[in-house]
Amino acid sequence: MCSSDLRGIISDLSQQKLVLLSTHIVSDLEEVANEIILLRKGVVLEMQKPASLLEQLNGQVWLVTVPAADEAALTKQYTCSNVMHTDGKSVIRLLSKSAPRPDAVPTAPNMEDMYLYYFGR
């Protein structure tokens, strides 16, 4: 069974019943969750719709393009959700309340960013 089949089954079931899905695979949540409960050691951190959780991160996710040699310093200093390498440069997706560098470009948060925001590196 492929993951899209599983998402379809969960989505169908949720029309008639409450479905609890415990996962660290955040892409699953984007497709099927009407509401997300974030728990840490049994304590509820948040319970909101996915869009509301992502809205809270607006202005806190940045894309920074640097020479590959500068990547390590930035990923040590900031929470990094992704790095793409191209032509000797690194395009780094960082979480920070303010621009990590003057040339940082704000970008829309995704579920991976949300996960890292709440649960760390």
Side-chain angles (χ1 to χ4, degrees):
M1 176 183 342
C2 90
S3 64
S4 63
D5 293 339
L6 179 61
R7 286 192 290 254
I9 291 168
I10 291 169
S11 183
D12 289 345
L13 284 172
S14 72
Q15 299 303 307
Q16 305 135 24
K17 302 178 185 311
L18 172 66
V19 177
L20 294 176
L21 173 66
S22 175
T23 184
H24 66 282
I25 303 170
V26 292
S27 60
D28 288 343
L29 300 175
E30 287 179 295
E31 299 295 324
V32 299
N34 292 324
E35 194 160 23
I36 295 175
I37 302 169
L38 299 175
L39 297 169
R40 180 184 293 136
K41 297 182 180 178
V43 175
V44 175
L45 302 176
E46 293 285 348
M47 185 167 65
Q48 297 184 39
K49 295 190 176 306
S52 297
L53 286 169
L54 293 177
E55 277 179 32
Q56 293 178 24
L57 293 180
N58 281 340
Q60 297 186 56
V61 183
W62 306 87
L63 292 177
V64 179
T65 302
V66 295
D70 296 343
E71 175 186 326
L74 280 171
T75 57
K76 273 186 179 178
Q77 187 174 1
Y78 298 97
T79 300
C80 171
S81 67
N82 191 37
V83 178
M84 187 176 71
H85 299 103
T86 179
D87 299 326
K89 296 189 182 235
S90 298
V91 179
I92 310 169
R93 187 178 184 96
L94 299 171
L95 276 70
S96 175
K97 291 186 187 231
S98 59
R101 293 171 40 112
D103 59 346
V105 177
T107 191
N110 62 31
M111 295 302 262
E112 183 75 20
D113 300 322
M114 184 270 306
Y115 180 87
L116 289 170
Y117 178 81
Y118 283 97
F119 301 107
R121 299 174 185 251

